Amino acid sequence: MAAATVDGAAAVAARRYSTQQQQQPQPQQHHNQPKLGTTLHLLAGGVAGAVSKTCTAPLARLTILFQVQGMHSDVATMRNTSIWREASRIVYEEGLRAFWKGNLVTIAHRLPYSSISFYTYERYKNWLQMIPGLDSNGGLGADVGVRMVGGGLSGITAASLTYPLDLVRTRLAAQTNTAYYRGISHALFAICRDEGPRGLYKGLGPTLLGVGPSIAISFSVYETLRSHWLLERPCDSPIFISLACGSLSGVASSTFTFPLDLVRRRKQLEGAAGRANVYKTGLVGTFGHIIQTEGYRGLYRGILPEYCKVVPSVGLIFMTYETLKSMFTEGASDE
């Protein structure tokens, strides 16, 4: 979730960069450059998301392990757990490669997620602009509103269509010493066998609830910070401003939506490896159970590695997306 979603962070950041580039006046010499096609835009966004996820996979796995610590363990034994202790445990018990456990399915999820998100974002934006008052003559407020609503809808659509891969990724990353799932295909088969097809969509509710607000907050914070920065320091590098404001918007989004992300992860692990269900109620009941057993701090278990992940993740997305876009544009110019 930006986290959330920053989990939608890759597609959102790439969309933000593309939107900013379209809004900024381009120098005259660029007018004759070929327009980058939809397929190459989708490819650049998908690859950028995959690269970012791969580079920040260790922090992502630490976040997941912290988020699910209170499910089947005595919470009191987890109070002294730190990022360093957990990282050391992984290296000692599972080896260095374990930091990337579940990363293959992450990439398999990120590529279609980004593609669907890009495609539906453009469609939703075009449809929204057909509504009176939201067209190009509606002013800055209408334009921001179209981007926020279109981004939220595209995130919900992409999350719904690719959710089983997200669930499998969580379960693979949450495995420690005992590996119940041997890979992507085995995990999909085992979940359907043990929990039924509906098991592939456990935790979808909090995921969809978190995607919309996450993207809305990300857009709002980013636009506000960027406008103020450009007003106060107009000579600063636009790329640096985008990276800094994008990272801060990711932190703000993660802070607000992290409890939903935590509940999503735990619901995804319900019934995994034949274990009994911990949360026998709906979304509200799950929140109440966590607060009762772990306190309000339990809703933010794992937020520190999430913060550490957000900043480099957004920076890598912007950098990779910009580099690939330039490469594709230059390649089209040479043809």
Side-chain angles (χ1 to χ4, degrees), residues 40-185:
L40 293 180
H41 266 298
L42 298 179
L43 180 61
V47 173
V51 170
S52 172
K53 287 291 185 179
T54 300
C55 292
T56 58
L59 289 168
R61 186 171 185 229
L62 283 171
T63 299
I64 292 174
L65 290 175
F66 274 100
Q67 284 178 324
V68 302
Q69 275 180 345
M71 288 188 67
H72 300 283
S73 305
D74 181 4
V75 177
T77 63
M78 300 297 176
R79 290 177 181 170
N80 295 325
T81 304
S82 64
I83 295 177
W84 175 252
R85 286 194 183 96
E86 186 64 15
S88 300
R89 183 201 64 76
I90 292 173
V91 173
Y92 179 74
E93 296 182 2
E94 306 176 57
L96 192 62
R97 292 180 59 184
F99 280 114
W100 282 268
K101 185 178 289 185
N103 189 60
L104 180 60
V105 71
T106 298
I107 295 174
H109 167 261
R110 183 54 49 188
L111 290 172
Y113 180 92
S114 298
S115 298
I116 295 170
S117 187
F118 269 102
Y119 180 82
T120 56
Y121 174 69
E122 294 299 329
R123 296 299 178 271
Y124 285 133
K125 188 172 68 173
N126 291 337
W127 292 338
L128 289 169
Q129 287 174 339
M130 296 172 64
I131 301 175
L134 294 180
D135 52 20
S136 57
N137 297 324
L140 180 61
D143 189 44
V144 172
V146 166
R147 291 200 304 269
M148 291 180 65
V149 176
L153 290 174
S154 67
I156 290 173
T157 302
S160 299
L161 294 176
T162 62
Y163 188 77
L165 286 172
D166 186 33
L167 180 137
V168 169
R169 176 235 175 184
T170 297
R171 294 201 175 184
L172 289 176
Q175 292 185 143
T176 52
N177 294 324
T178 304
Y180 184 78
Y181 304 112
R182 296 190 296 271
I184 299 174
S185 58

